[in-house]
Amino acid sequence: MQIGNVKIETNVALAPMAGVTDLPYRLLAKEMGCGYLVTEMVSAKAILYNNKNTDDLMVMDNKEHPIAIQLFGSDPEIMANMARKIAIEKKPDIIDVNMGCPVPKVVNNGEGSSLMKNPKLVEQIVTAMVKACPIPVTYKIRTGFDDTCINAPEIAHIIEECGGAAVAVHGRTRAQYYSGKANWDIIRKVKERVSIPVWGNGDVTSGIEAKRMLDETGCDGVMIGRAARGNPWIFREIKEYLETGKIVERPSYEEICDMIVRHASMLCEYKGEFTGVREMRKHFAWYTAGIKHAAALRNEANHVTSLDGMKSLVEKMREELSKI
């Protein structure tokens, strides 16, 4: 897939997720075959006002390319100026814009998926950003705001007309949040409406589902969000299935245990032990979802306060799983 001047070798992407797609997790996804990475979303206003926390969100590793830094906001001038600033200073391959976030504090501020209700403002934002930014600018949208406003094809057309380089479509409205079934038909209609690359996002949990989305919608690539939580192996599975038609076996309990230790160690190295261990608790829950007798282990994980404690818990888990 080609987005502007950026070549993406494998058309499987990691969707941006706040509190999930930080540097350590992105590196794991990349190792597993993910072709394109996107950071957690960063407020354009926060960058403008030099909020210290935003710098941490934009740290990248050389091994991550191609990667996009994702911005959110609603002021065309601020969005344009911050896109240019970040493109020059941080040197991502792409600037992505979140027009799909459903969280109330974002939507109530006229940002995220609220923009789906305002095509004129979308036009102003895209026009300003594309003019100011020296690298490709892409946009992530939803099917619409709610059932009365299913307008993704129209919004995608505006994005293309104003110079946007690609669009990712989450097949749900803002009103749905993450519930119900993703509407792949709207993704297909977006692809039919525009000639720029289209990422399809929503309900892809396997290589078979990824292939089905590509076939049914005609989209250029699949973007994986919640199915990647606690499951970096999904990128290996999808890549292999799309390239060879082979179904890769799910990771063994040993692989899962090893990955938890590695992920925890990377988080502690990157964020410090205090923060890293606490953030690892939710990842531990995702890694162990669906594993028999893991509920008690998840409860224990919520009380772990050190990396050694997390490693000890994983060894206990390894021993218990060996008996299954």
Side-chain angles (χ1 to χ4, degrees):
M1 186 194 302
Q2 189 86 15
I3 297 179
N5 61 348
V6 179
K7 185 167 178 58
I8 295 167
E9 300 290 346
T10 305
N11 60 339
V12 184
L14 172 63
M17 290 177 283
V20 181
T21 57
D22 55 18
L23 176 60
Y25 184 79
R26 296 196 307 267
L27 287 171
L28 294 174
K30 184 73 172 182
E31 282 181 21
M32 286 292 163
C34 183
Y36 175 58
L37 303 167
V38 187
T39 68
E40 300 171 80
M41 67 179 190
V42 185
S43 164
K45 278 186 182 174
I47 298 170
L48 176 67
Y49 297 125
N50 297 311
N51 182 299
K52 181 186 172 296
N53 295 334
T54 60
D55 266 345
D56 294 337
L57 294 172
M58 294 185 286
V59 172
M60 297 173 290
D61 188 282
N62 285 333
K63 295 191 285 288
E64 293 191 85
H65 297 282
I67 181 170
I69 288 178
Q70 189 183 69
L71 303 180
F72 73 97
S74 59
D75 183 297
E77 185 179 358
I78 293 174
M79 292 290 281
N81 291 339
M82 294 309 102
R84 178 175 177 79
K85 173 183 170 70
I86 293 313
I88 293 170
E89 293 180 3
K90 303 295 183 182
K91 296 183 169 51
D93 301 284
I94 290 170
I95 295 290
D96 188 55
V97 178
N98 189 310
M99 294 186 173
C101 180
V103 175
K105 68 178 181 181
V106 173
V107 171
N108 294 341
N109 210 26
E111 302 166 338
S113 56
S114 176
L115 291 168
M116 298 297 296
K117 296 187 295 183
N118 197 338
K120 186 66 182 171
L121 182 54
V122 170
E123 180 182 341
Q124 292 168 353
I125 290 171
V126 179
T127 300
M129 292 186 75
V130 169
K131 184 178 179 182
C133 192
I135 61 175
V137 187
T138 63
Y139 296 82
K140 190 163 194 282
I141 64 175
R142 285 185 170 241
T143 56
F145 191 78
D146 55 30
D147 286 342
T148 69
C149 179
I150 306 289
N151 61 346
E154 176 197 350
I155 296 293
H157 175 69
I158 291 169
I159 288 168
E160 179 178 37
E161 288 291 295
C162 297
V167 62
V169 187
H170 183 168
R172 291 179 172 85
T173 63
R174 185 270 171 169
Q176 284 181 277
Y177 277 73
Y178 301 99
S179 66
K181 193 177 179 210
N183 187 339
W184 290 6
D185 190 48
I186 298 297
I187 299 173
R188 177 181 58 78
K189 288 178 178 175
V190 168
K191 181 57 191 169
E192 290 170 350
R193 186 76 186 270
V194 300
S195 58
I196 55 175
V198 174
W199 294 100
N201 176 218
D203 293 352
V204 173
T205 58
S206 67
I208 293 172
E209 287 295 299
K211 179 73 163 61
R212 190 165 73 82
M213 174 182 270
L214 290 167
D215 290 344
E216 290 186 10
T217 69
C219 67
D220 301 278
V222 291
M223 186 168 273
I224 310 299
R226 288 173 301 148
R229 297 184 307 190
N231 184 22
W233 300 278
I234 192 169
F235 298 103
R236 178 177 70 185
E237 294 166 15
I238 292 174
K239 183 175 187 286
E240 183 68 23
Y241 188 81
L242 293 181
E243 290 178 358
T244 69
K246 292 178 183 175
I247 297 175
V248 178
E249 283 188 21
R250 294 294 299 143
S252 65
Y253 289 148
E254 279 293 312
E255 277 187 277
I256 292 171
C257 290
D258 290 345
M259 185 66 81
I260 292 172
V261 170
R262 182 144 179 256
H263 193 165
S265 300
M266 290 168 72
L267 272 172
C268 290
E269 182 181 350
Y270 176 51
K271 300 186 176 184
E273 189 168 11
F274 182 89
T275 301
V277 167
R278 282 156 181 79
E279 289 202 5
M280 191 62 206
R281 292 170 179 172
K282 65 190 175 196
H283 291 286
F284 185 93
W286 290 325
Y287 277 114
T288 57
I291 294 178
K292 284 182 181 178
H293 315 305
L297 292 168
R298 284 192 286 274
N299 185 54
E300 280 190 60
N302 287 332
H303 301 284
V304 169
T305 57
S306 69
L307 180 57
D308 283 343
M310 182 63 72
K311 289 178 178 177
S312 296
L313 179 61
V314 172
E315 288 312 305
K316 178 181 177 182
M317 171 176 152
R318 201 188 298 268
E319 191 176 328
E320 290 185 12
L321 292 177
S322 69
K323 300 171 187 172
I324 295 178

